Amino acid sequence: MKFDDVIHQLGDFGNYQKRMFLLTCLVSVPTAFHVLMSVFVLAVPDHRCAIPELDNDTYASQGPWHADLINQSIPWLSQKNMYSQCEVFLKDVTQRDWSNMTRKCDKWVYSKEIFTSTFVTEVNMVCDDISFKTYAIMAVMGGNMVGSLILGPLADVLGRKKVILLGTIGQFASGLAVAFVHSYVPFVILKFCSTFFGSGLYLASYVIGMELVGPRKRKYAGIIKECFWVLGHFLLIAIAYGLRDWRHLQIVLSIPNFLIISYFLLLKESPRWLVSRNRLQEASEIIKIAAKTNNVTMADKMANLKEIELDGIGEKVWHMMTNHVLLIRCLVIFANWIVASMVYYGLSLNVGNLSGDLYLNFFLSGVVELLSYVLCLIFLDKAGRKLLQCLFMLTAGAACVCTLFPVLYGTKGDSRLVKQALEKRILFKTKAYLTGNNR
Protein backbone atom coordinates (compact mmCIF):
# COMPACT_ATOMS: atom_id res chain seq x y z
CA MET A 1 0.00 0.00 0.00
CA LYS A 2 1.44 3.36 -1.09
CA PHE A 3 0.82 6.63 0.69
CA ASP A 4 -1.10 8.00 -2.32
CA ASP A 5 -3.60 5.18 -1.74
CA VAL A 6 -4.14 6.54 1.77
CA ILE A 7 -4.64 10.07 0.42
CA HIS A 8 -7.11 8.76 -2.17
CA GLN A 9 -9.10 6.99 0.54
CA LEU A 10 -8.95 10.09 2.70
CA GLY A 11 -10.10 12.30 -0.17
CA ASP A 12 -7.87 14.04 -2.70
CA PHE A 13 -8.76 17.48 -1.36
CA GLY A 14 -11.00 17.17 1.66
CA ASN A 15 -11.73 19.72 4.36
CA TYR A 16 -8.61 18.84 6.33
CA GLN A 17 -6.36 19.27 3.29
CA LYS A 18 -8.06 22.54 2.41
CA ARG A 19 -7.42 23.96 5.88
CA MET A 20 -3.78 22.92 5.97
CA PHE A 21 -3.27 23.96 2.36
CA LEU A 22 -4.69 27.43 3.03
CA LEU A 23 -2.23 27.87 5.90
CA THR A 24 0.67 26.94 3.63
CA CYS A 25 -0.60 29.25 0.88
CA LEU A 26 -0.68 32.28 3.17
CA VAL A 27 3.07 31.88 3.63
CA SER A 28 3.52 33.04 0.02
CA VAL A 29 2.29 36.54 0.88
CA PRO A 30 5.13 37.66 3.21
CA THR A 31 7.64 35.76 1.08
CA ALA A 32 6.60 37.89 -1.91
CA PHE A 33 6.86 41.00 0.28
CA HIS A 34 10.51 40.45 1.16
CA VAL A 35 11.61 39.62 -2.38
CA LEU A 36 9.70 42.30 -4.28
CA MET A 37 9.89 45.20 -1.81
CA SER A 38 13.35 45.98 -3.22
CA VAL A 39 11.53 47.70 -6.08
CA PHE A 40 10.49 50.41 -3.61
CA VAL A 41 13.17 50.23 -0.91
CA LEU A 42 15.96 50.56 -3.51
CA ALA A 43 14.13 52.98 -5.79
CA VAL A 44 16.18 55.90 -7.16
CA PRO A 45 14.09 59.10 -7.20
CA ASP A 46 14.85 62.03 -9.49
CA HIS A 47 17.85 63.88 -8.10
CA ARG A 48 20.65 66.30 -8.87
CA CYS A 49 23.82 67.56 -7.26
CA ALA A 50 23.27 69.80 -4.27
CA ILE A 51 24.32 73.43 -4.61
CA PRO A 52 27.66 73.82 -2.80
CA GLU A 53 27.57 75.93 0.36
CA LEU A 54 23.76 75.97 0.42
CA ASP A 55 22.74 73.94 3.46
CA ASN A 56 18.97 74.16 2.90
CA ASP A 57 19.02 73.17 -0.78
CA THR A 58 16.05 71.15 -2.03
CA TYR A 59 15.22 69.42 -5.29
CA ALA A 60 12.07 71.51 -5.69
CA SER A 61 12.64 75.12 -6.63
CA GLN A 62 12.39 77.59 -3.75
CA GLY A 63 11.89 80.57 -6.01
CA PRO A 64 13.60 82.58 -8.80
CA TRP A 65 16.75 83.14 -6.71
CA HIS A 66 17.05 79.39 -6.16
CA ALA A 67 16.53 78.60 -9.85
CA ASP A 68 19.24 81.14 -10.81
CA LEU A 69 21.65 79.60 -8.31
CA ILE A 70 20.99 76.14 -9.71
CA ASN A 71 21.68 77.37 -13.25
CA GLN A 72 24.96 78.96 -12.16
CA SER A 73 26.33 76.09 -10.08
CA ILE A 74 25.11 72.90 -11.80
CA PRO A 75 25.67 71.95 -15.46
CA TRP A 76 22.58 71.53 -17.63
CA LEU A 77 22.61 68.34 -19.72
CA SER A 78 20.67 69.28 -22.84
CA GLN A 79 20.68 65.75 -24.28
CA LYS A 80 19.05 64.36 -21.15
CA ASN A 81 17.02 67.53 -20.48
CA MET A 82 18.09 67.59 -16.83
CA TYR A 83 20.64 69.02 -14.44
CA SER A 84 23.78 67.00 -13.81
CA GLN A 85 23.43 64.33 -11.18
CA CYS A 86 27.15 63.88 -10.63
CA GLU A 87 28.99 67.16 -11.33
CA VAL A 88 28.94 70.79 -10.20
CA PHE A 89 30.82 73.84 -11.42
CA LEU A 90 33.93 74.92 -9.56
CA LYS A 91 33.76 78.26 -7.82
CA ASP A 92 36.41 80.83 -8.64
CA VAL A 93 37.65 81.95 -5.24
CA THR A 94 39.22 85.20 -6.50
CA GLN A 95 36.22 86.36 -8.50
CA ARG A 96 33.70 84.70 -6.16
CA ASP A 97 31.89 83.37 -9.21
CA TRP A 98 31.27 80.00 -10.87
CA SER A 99 33.76 78.83 -13.52
CA ASN A 100 33.16 76.48 -16.46
CA MET A 101 35.27 73.75 -14.87
CA THR A 102 33.47 70.96 -13.04
CA ARG A 103 34.12 68.53 -10.23
CA LYS A 104 32.28 65.53 -8.85
CA CYS A 105 29.66 66.46 -6.32
CA ASP A 106 29.56 64.92 -2.86
CA LYS A 107 26.04 65.94 -1.84
CA TRP A 108 22.70 65.39 -3.53
CA VAL A 109 19.10 66.49 -3.24
CA TYR A 110 16.22 64.18 -4.12
CA SER A 111 12.68 64.65 -5.34
CA LYS A 112 10.05 64.01 -2.65
CA GLU A 113 7.24 63.72 -5.19
CA ILE A 114 7.08 59.90 -5.12
CA PHE A 115 9.13 58.81 -2.10
CA THR A 116 9.76 60.49 1.21
CA SER A 117 12.94 58.42 1.46
CA THR A 118 14.48 55.22 0.14
CA PHE A 119 17.62 53.42 1.22
CA VAL A 120 19.28 54.80 -1.91
CA THR A 121 18.62 58.40 -0.86
CA GLU A 122 19.71 57.75 2.71
CA VAL A 123 23.18 56.45 1.81
CA ASN A 124 23.49 58.41 -1.47
CA MET A 125 23.79 55.30 -3.62
CA VAL A 126 24.06 57.27 -6.85
CA CYS A 127 26.68 58.24 -9.46
CA ASP A 128 29.86 56.22 -8.78
CA ASP A 129 28.01 54.14 -6.17
CA ILE A 130 24.97 53.28 -8.30
CA SER A 131 26.38 49.79 -8.92
CA PHE A 132 25.93 49.03 -5.20
CA LYS A 133 22.20 48.91 -5.84
CA THR A 134 22.80 46.00 -8.22
CA TYR A 135 24.91 44.26 -5.59
CA ALA A 136 22.11 44.66 -3.05
CA ILE A 137 19.64 43.02 -5.44
CA MET A 138 22.21 40.27 -6.04
CA ALA A 139 22.28 39.71 -2.27
CA VAL A 140 18.49 39.34 -2.27
CA MET A 141 18.64 36.70 -4.99
CA GLY A 142 21.73 35.10 -3.44
CA GLY A 143 19.76 34.57 -0.24
CA ASN A 144 17.07 32.85 -2.29
CA MET A 145 19.59 30.50 -3.87
CA VAL A 146 21.56 29.63 -0.73
CA GLY A 147 18.35 29.21 1.28
CA SER A 148 17.04 26.76 -1.31
CA LEU A 149 20.27 24.75 -1.21
CA ILE A 150 20.48 24.61 2.60
CA LEU A 151 17.00 24.89 4.08
CA GLY A 152 15.37 22.83 1.31
CA PRO A 153 17.28 19.64 2.17
CA LEU A 154 17.07 20.54 5.86
CA ALA A 155 13.28 20.16 5.61
CA ASP A 156 13.89 16.50 4.73
CA VAL A 157 15.97 16.06 7.88
CA LEU A 158 14.17 18.13 10.52
CA GLY A 159 10.71 18.09 9.02
CA ARG A 160 8.67 20.60 7.04
CA LYS A 161 7.01 22.16 10.07
CA LYS A 162 10.24 22.98 11.90
CA VAL A 163 11.79 24.57 8.82
CA ILE A 164 8.64 26.68 8.35
CA LEU A 165 9.01 27.91 11.93
CA LEU A 166 12.74 28.52 11.50
CA GLY A 167 12.18 30.40 8.24
CA THR A 168 9.38 32.50 9.70
CA ILE A 169 11.33 33.60 12.78
CA GLY A 170 14.49 34.19 10.75
CA GLN A 171 12.75 36.26 8.10
CA PHE A 172 10.83 38.27 10.70
CA ALA A 173 13.97 39.08 12.71
CA SER A 174 16.18 39.95 9.73
CA GLY A 175 13.42 41.81 7.88
CA LEU A 176 12.61 43.93 10.93
CA ALA A 177 16.28 44.60 11.64
CA VAL A 178 16.76 46.01 8.12
CA ALA A 179 14.56 48.96 9.03
CA PHE A 180 17.04 50.10 11.71
CA VAL A 181 20.33 49.98 9.79
CA HIS A 182 22.09 53.10 8.57
CA SER A 183 24.90 51.73 6.40
CA TYR A 184 25.26 49.58 3.33
CA VAL A 185 27.00 46.42 4.58
CA PRO A 186 24.51 45.57 7.38
CA PHE A 187 21.67 46.31 4.96
CA VAL A 188 22.98 43.83 2.39
CA ILE A 189 23.71 41.14 4.99
CA LEU A 190 20.24 41.39 6.51
CA LYS A 191 18.58 41.43 3.07
CA PHE A 192 20.48 38.24 2.26
CA CYS A 193 19.31 36.66 5.52
CA SER A 194 15.73 37.76 4.90
CA THR A 195 15.43 35.94 1.57
CA PHE A 196 17.60 33.06 2.83
CA PHE A 197 15.04 32.23 5.50
CA GLY A 198 12.16 33.17 3.20
CA SER A 199 13.30 30.65 0.60
CA GLY A 200 13.30 27.83 3.14
CA LEU A 201 9.94 28.99 4.47
CA TYR A 202 8.40 29.01 1.00
CA LEU A 203 9.83 25.67 -0.13
CA ALA A 204 8.88 23.83 3.06
CA SER A 205 5.34 25.22 2.95
CA TYR A 206 5.02 24.35 -0.75
CA VAL A 207 6.11 20.77 -0.17
CA ILE A 208 3.92 20.17 2.87
CA GLY A 209 0.95 21.60 0.96
CA MET A 210 1.53 19.34 -2.05
CA GLU A 211 2.12 16.24 0.09
CA LEU A 212 -1.37 16.49 1.54
CA VAL A 213 -3.13 16.73 -1.83
CA GLY A 214 -4.10 13.80 -4.02
CA PRO A 215 -2.43 13.35 -7.43
CA ARG A 216 -5.50 14.51 -9.39
CA LYS A 217 -5.68 17.85 -7.57
CA ARG A 218 -1.99 18.71 -7.32
CA LYS A 219 -1.90 20.68 -10.57
CA TYR A 220 -4.66 22.99 -9.38
CA ALA A 221 -3.20 23.22 -5.88
CA GLY A 222 0.19 24.26 -7.24
CA ILE A 223 -1.28 27.04 -9.38
CA ILE A 224 -3.52 28.25 -6.55
CA LYS A 225 -0.51 28.53 -4.24
CA GLU A 226 1.23 30.70 -6.84
CA CYS A 227 -1.85 32.92 -6.90
CA PHE A 228 -1.16 33.75 -3.25
CA TRP A 229 2.24 35.05 -4.35
CA VAL A 230 0.34 37.40 -6.67
CA LEU A 231 -1.88 38.35 -3.73
CA GLY A 232 1.28 39.37 -1.90
CA HIS A 233 2.27 41.33 -5.01
CA PHE A 234 -0.99 43.30 -4.98
CA LEU A 235 -0.94 43.86 -1.21
CA LEU A 236 2.63 45.13 -1.52
CA ILE A 237 1.66 47.73 -4.10
CA ALA A 238 -1.22 48.92 -1.90
CA ILE A 239 0.96 49.20 1.21
CA ALA A 240 3.86 50.79 -0.69
CA TYR A 241 1.49 53.33 -2.21
CA GLY A 242 0.44 54.42 1.28
CA LEU A 243 3.88 54.27 2.92
CA ARG A 244 6.48 56.30 1.04
CA ASP A 245 9.21 56.02 3.72
CA TRP A 246 11.31 52.87 3.23
CA ARG A 247 11.76 52.22 6.98
CA HIS A 248 8.03 52.33 7.68
CA LEU A 249 7.43 50.06 4.68
CA GLN A 250 10.05 47.57 5.87
CA ILE A 251 8.55 47.37 9.35
CA VAL A 252 4.95 46.96 8.20
CA LEU A 253 5.87 44.26 5.66
CA SER A 254 7.71 42.28 8.35
CA ILE A 255 4.71 42.06 10.67
CA PRO A 256 2.94 39.18 8.80
CA ASN A 257 5.91 36.91 9.58
CA PHE A 258 5.27 37.43 13.28
CA LEU A 259 1.67 36.30 12.80
CA ILE A 260 2.78 33.15 10.96
CA ILE A 261 4.69 32.01 14.05
CA SER A 262 1.30 30.81 15.31
CA TYR A 263 1.48 28.15 12.58
CA PHE A 264 3.50 25.99 14.97
CA LEU A 265 0.24 25.45 16.86
CA LEU A 266 -2.11 25.25 13.86
CA LEU A 267 -0.13 23.38 11.22
CA LYS A 268 0.37 19.63 11.45
CA GLU A 269 3.54 17.94 10.26
CA SER A 270 3.39 16.23 6.89
CA PRO A 271 2.28 12.63 7.43
CA ARG A 272 4.09 11.65 4.23
CA TRP A 273 7.36 12.93 5.69
CA LEU A 274 6.66 11.12 8.97
CA VAL A 275 6.12 7.88 7.04
CA SER A 276 9.40 8.41 5.18
CA ARG A 277 11.13 8.73 8.57
CA ASN A 278 9.36 5.56 9.76
CA ARG A 279 7.43 7.49 12.41
CA LEU A 280 4.25 5.62 11.61
CA GLN A 281 2.47 6.19 14.92
CA GLU A 282 2.62 9.99 14.58
CA ALA A 283 1.58 9.81 10.92
CA SER A 284 -1.33 7.52 11.80
CA GLU A 285 -2.64 9.98 14.40
CA ILE A 286 -2.66 12.80 11.83
CA ILE A 287 -4.39 10.58 9.26
CA LYS A 288 -7.11 9.76 11.78
CA ILE A 289 -7.61 13.47 12.54
CA ALA A 290 -7.84 14.18 8.81
CA ALA A 291 -10.35 11.33 8.31
CA LYS A 292 -12.54 12.69 11.10
CA THR A 293 -12.38 16.22 9.65
CA ASN A 294 -13.25 14.90 6.17
CA ASN A 295 -16.08 12.70 7.52
CA VAL A 296 -14.39 9.65 6.02
CA THR A 297 -14.45 6.17 7.53
CA MET A 298 -11.19 4.37 6.92
CA ALA A 299 -10.31 0.74 7.53
CA ASP A 300 -8.12 0.22 10.60
CA LYS A 301 -5.42 -1.31 8.44
CA MET A 302 -5.18 1.80 6.31
CA ALA A 303 -5.66 4.32 9.14
CA ASN A 304 -2.92 2.66 11.18
CA LEU A 305 -0.68 2.60 8.08
CA LYS A 306 -0.06 -1.10 8.32
CA GLU A 307 1.92 -2.52 5.39
CA ILE A 308 2.61 1.00 4.12
CA GLU A 309 5.42 1.17 1.59
CA LEU A 310 8.17 3.65 2.44
CA ASP A 311 8.69 5.72 -0.73
CA GLY A 312 12.15 6.90 -1.66
CA ILE A 313 14.06 5.07 1.08
CA GLY A 314 17.74 4.91 0.12
CA GLU A 315 17.28 7.07 -3.00
CA LYS A 316 19.75 9.91 -3.51
CA VAL A 317 19.68 12.90 -5.83
CA TRP A 318 22.70 11.69 -7.78
CA HIS A 319 20.96 8.43 -8.64
CA MET A 320 19.24 10.22 -11.51
CA MET A 321 22.67 10.68 -13.08
CA THR A 322 22.87 6.96 -13.72
CA ASN A 323 20.05 7.06 -16.30
CA HIS A 324 21.12 9.08 -19.34
CA VAL A 325 17.56 9.76 -20.51
CA LEU A 326 16.52 11.08 -17.11
CA LEU A 327 19.77 13.04 -16.85
CA ILE A 328 19.26 14.80 -20.19
CA ARG A 329 15.67 15.69 -19.35
CA CYS A 330 16.69 17.07 -15.97
CA LEU A 331 19.48 19.17 -17.50
CA VAL A 332 17.03 20.62 -20.04
CA ILE A 333 14.59 21.50 -17.27
CA PHE A 334 17.39 23.01 -15.15
CA ALA A 335 18.51 25.19 -18.07
CA ASN A 336 14.94 26.33 -18.73
CA TRP A 337 14.45 27.06 -15.06
CA ILE A 338 17.60 29.19 -14.90
CA VAL A 339 16.57 31.26 -17.93
CA ALA A 340 12.95 31.64 -16.81
CA SER A 341 13.89 32.68 -13.27
CA MET A 342 16.58 35.06 -14.51
CA VAL A 343 14.19 36.91 -16.81
CA TYR A 344 11.22 36.79 -14.42
CA TYR A 345 13.12 38.27 -11.49
CA GLY A 346 15.09 40.55 -13.79
CA LEU A 347 11.83 42.10 -14.96
CA SER A 348 10.12 42.03 -11.56
CA LEU A 349 12.94 43.74 -9.68
CA ASN A 350 13.57 46.32 -12.41
CA VAL A 351 10.04 47.60 -12.92
CA GLY A 352 11.32 50.94 -11.65
CA ASN A 353 13.48 51.27 -14.75
CA LEU A 354 10.44 51.33 -17.04
CA SER A 355 9.03 54.64 -18.16
CA GLY A 356 5.75 55.80 -16.69
CA ASP A 357 4.29 55.52 -13.21
CA LEU A 358 6.12 53.01 -10.97
CA TYR A 359 3.01 51.94 -9.07
CA LEU A 360 0.96 51.43 -12.22
CA ASN A 361 3.74 49.40 -13.86
CA PHE A 362 4.11 47.25 -10.75
CA PHE A 363 0.36 46.70 -10.63
CA LEU A 364 0.26 45.72 -14.32
CA SER A 365 3.09 43.26 -13.80
CA GLY A 366 0.96 41.55 -11.13
CA VAL A 367 -2.04 41.48 -13.46
CA VAL A 368 -0.15 39.71 -16.23
CA GLU A 369 1.37 37.28 -13.72
CA LEU A 370 -2.12 36.36 -12.57
CA LEU A 371 -3.16 35.98 -16.20
CA SER A 372 -0.27 33.57 -16.76
CA TYR A 373 -1.70 31.21 -14.14
CA VAL A 374 -5.08 31.34 -15.85
CA LEU A 375 -3.36 30.34 -19.10
CA CYS A 376 -1.74 27.42 -17.32
CA LEU A 377 -5.08 26.20 -15.99
CA ILE A 378 -6.70 26.43 -19.43
CA PHE A 379 -4.01 24.97 -21.68
CA LEU A 380 -1.80 22.77 -19.51
CA ASP A 381 -3.79 19.59 -20.12
CA LYS A 382 -5.21 20.53 -23.52
CA ALA A 383 -1.94 21.33 -25.27
CA GLY A 384 0.48 19.34 -23.14
CA ARG A 385 3.59 20.41 -21.28
CA LYS A 386 6.12 19.95 -24.09
CA LEU A 387 4.26 21.99 -26.72
CA LEU A 388 3.52 24.84 -24.33
CA GLN A 389 7.09 24.84 -23.08
CA CYS A 390 8.54 25.19 -26.57
CA LEU A 391 5.90 27.70 -27.66
CA PHE A 392 6.40 30.01 -24.70
CA MET A 393 10.18 29.70 -24.91
CA LEU A 394 10.25 30.81 -28.55
CA THR A 395 7.67 33.56 -28.12
CA ALA A 396 9.32 34.92 -24.97
CA GLY A 397 12.70 34.95 -26.71
CA ALA A 398 11.20 36.92 -29.61
CA ALA A 399 9.63 39.36 -27.14
CA CYS A 400 13.05 39.89 -25.51
CA VAL A 401 14.55 40.82 -28.87
CA CYS A 402 11.62 43.10 -29.74
CA THR A 403 12.12 45.05 -26.52
CA LEU A 404 15.31 46.47 -28.02
CA PHE A 405 13.45 48.49 -30.65
CA PRO A 406 11.51 50.89 -28.39
CA VAL A 407 14.69 51.35 -26.34
CA LEU A 408 16.73 52.25 -29.43
CA TYR A 409 14.13 54.17 -31.43
CA GLY A 410 11.36 55.12 -28.98
CA THR A 411 11.08 58.17 -26.79
CA LYS A 412 11.45 58.22 -23.02
CA GLY A 413 7.71 58.09 -22.51
CA ASP A 414 7.12 55.42 -25.14
CA SER A 415 4.44 53.12 -23.72
CA ARG A 416 5.55 50.28 -25.98
CA LEU A 417 8.49 49.66 -23.67
CA VAL A 418 6.17 48.90 -20.77
CA LYS A 419 3.86 46.84 -22.92
CA GLN A 420 6.57 44.64 -24.39
CA ALA A 421 8.32 44.22 -21.06
CA LEU A 422 5.08 43.00 -19.50
CA GLU A 423 4.50 40.66 -22.42
CA LYS A 424 7.90 39.13 -21.78
CA ARG A 425 7.04 38.78 -18.11
CA ILE A 426 3.84 36.84 -18.68
CA LEU A 427 5.54 34.50 -21.16
CA PHE A 428 8.46 33.75 -18.92
CA LYS A 429 6.20 33.41 -15.88
CA THR A 430 4.06 30.82 -17.65
CA LYS A 431 7.13 29.05 -18.98
CA ALA A 432 8.64 28.94 -15.51
CA TYR A 433 5.55 27.22 -14.17
CA LEU A 434 5.77 24.58 -16.90
CA THR A 435 9.30 23.68 -15.80
CA GLY A 436 8.33 23.60 -12.13
CA ASN A 437 7.94 25.91 -9.17
CA ASN A 438 9.83 29.10 -10.05
CA ARG A 439 10.60 30.33 -6.54
Side-chain angles (χ1 to χ4, degrees), residues 340-351 353:
S341 296
M342 178 176 63
V343 177
Y344 169 74
Y345 284 112
L347 289 170
S348 298
L349 298 177
N350 287 281
V351 170
N353 294 333

Side-chain angles (χ1 to χ4, degrees), residues 118-187:
T118 69
F119 185 74
V120 170
T121 66
E122 185 164 312
V123 300
N124 291 319
M125 202 187 302
V126 293
C127 293
D128 292 341
D129 294 334
I130 190 63
S131 58
F132 286 103
K133 175 187 174 181
T134 301
Y135 302 150
I137 294 176
M138 289 171 62
V140 170
M141 298 312 301
N144 258 337
M145 182 184 70
V146 178
S148 300
L149 295 174
I150 295 178
L151 297 183
L154 191 63
D156 289 333
V157 178
L158 300 180
R160 286 71 164 115
K161 183 177 177 180
K162 290 181 180 178
V163 171
I164 289 176
L165 181 65
L166 173 65
T168 301
I169 295 176
Q171 190 171 61
F172 170 70
S174 56
L176 189 63
V178 170
F180 299 95
V181 300
H182 296 274
S183 57
Y184 181 78
V185 173
F187 176 86

Side-chain angles (χ1 to χ4, degrees), residues 302-337:
M302 183 168 288
N304 293 321
L305 302 177
K306 295 179 179 179
E307 301 179 3
I308 190 74
E309 295 182 19
L310 303 180
D311 296 333
I313 298 299
E315 296 293 340
K316 304 297 182 182
V317 174
W318 55 83
H319 286 177
M320 69 180 181
M321 306 295 181
T322 59
N323 186 304
H324 72 280
V325 175
L326 182 59
L327 175 61
I328 292 174
R329 290 179 179 178
C330 286
L331 291 177
V332 170
I333 291 176
F334 294 162
N336 276 271
W337 201 342

Side-chain angles (χ1 to χ4, degrees), residues 33-48:
F33 286 168
H34 287 274
V35 173
L36 300 177
M37 74 165 73
S38 298
V39 173
F40 304 99
V41 172
L42 293 173
V44 183
D46 291 336
H47 59 282
R48 61 166 172 79

Side-chain angles (χ1 to χ4, degrees), residues 45-52 57-59 69-90 100-111 126-128:
D46 291 336
H47 59 282
R48 61 166 172 79
C49 290
I51 300 173
D57 189 18
T58 59
Y59 185 83
L69 196 54
I70 294 174
N71 290 329
Q72 295 172 21
S73 59
I74 301 174
W76 174 259
L77 306 178
S78 56
Q79 291 183 341
K80 297 183 178 180
N81 196 33
M82 59 186 290
Y83 287 102
S84 176
Q85 296 179 333
C86 301
E87 292 183 335
V88 294
F89 288 124
L90 285 171
N100 291 327
M101 298 180 65
T102 61
R103 66 170 177 85
K104 292 183 178 180
C105 57
D106 52 13
K107 291 179 63 178
W108 293 264
V109 289
Y110 300 90
S111 170
V126 293
C127 293
D128 292 341

Side-chain angles (χ1 to χ4, degrees), residues 199-302:
S199 179
L201 168 63
Y202 184 90
L203 289 175
S205 66
Y206 188 94
V207 171
I208 195 173
M210 293 300 102
E211 287 180 336
L212 288 169
V213 180
R216 292 183 299 176
K217 301 293 185 180
R218 282 177 192 156
K219 177 190 71 174
Y220 304 104
I223 297 176
I224 290 172
K225 183 169 177 62
E226 294 291 333
C227 290
F228 278 81
W229 175 279
V230 183
L231 175 61
H233 186 118
F234 287 133
L235 290 175
L236 171 58
I237 184 67
I239 296 171
Y241 189 82
L243 299 175
R244 304 301 178 97
D245 184 284
W246 78 272
R247 293 184 185 277
H248 298 160
L249 181 65
Q250 187 76 42
I251 292 172
V252 170
L253 294 179
S254 298
I255 292 176
N257 288 95
F258 179 77
L259 301 177
I260 293 177
I261 296 176
S262 63
Y263 275 29
F264 199 72
L265 299 175
L266 301 174
L267 189 65
K268 302 293 183 182
E269 182 57 88
S270 168
R272 187 185 293 268
W273 177 81
L274 292 172
V275 168
S276 71
R277 309 302 290 183
N278 207 23
R279 293 161 60 175
L280 301 182
Q281 181 61 37
E282 296 175 63
S284 176
E285 292 176 1
I286 296 176
I287 292 298
K288 291 176 181 177
I289 293 174
K292 182 177 180 181
T293 304
N294 292 353
N295 294 319
V296 173
T297 302
M298 301 182 68
D300 290 340
K301 180 179 179 180
M302 183 168 288

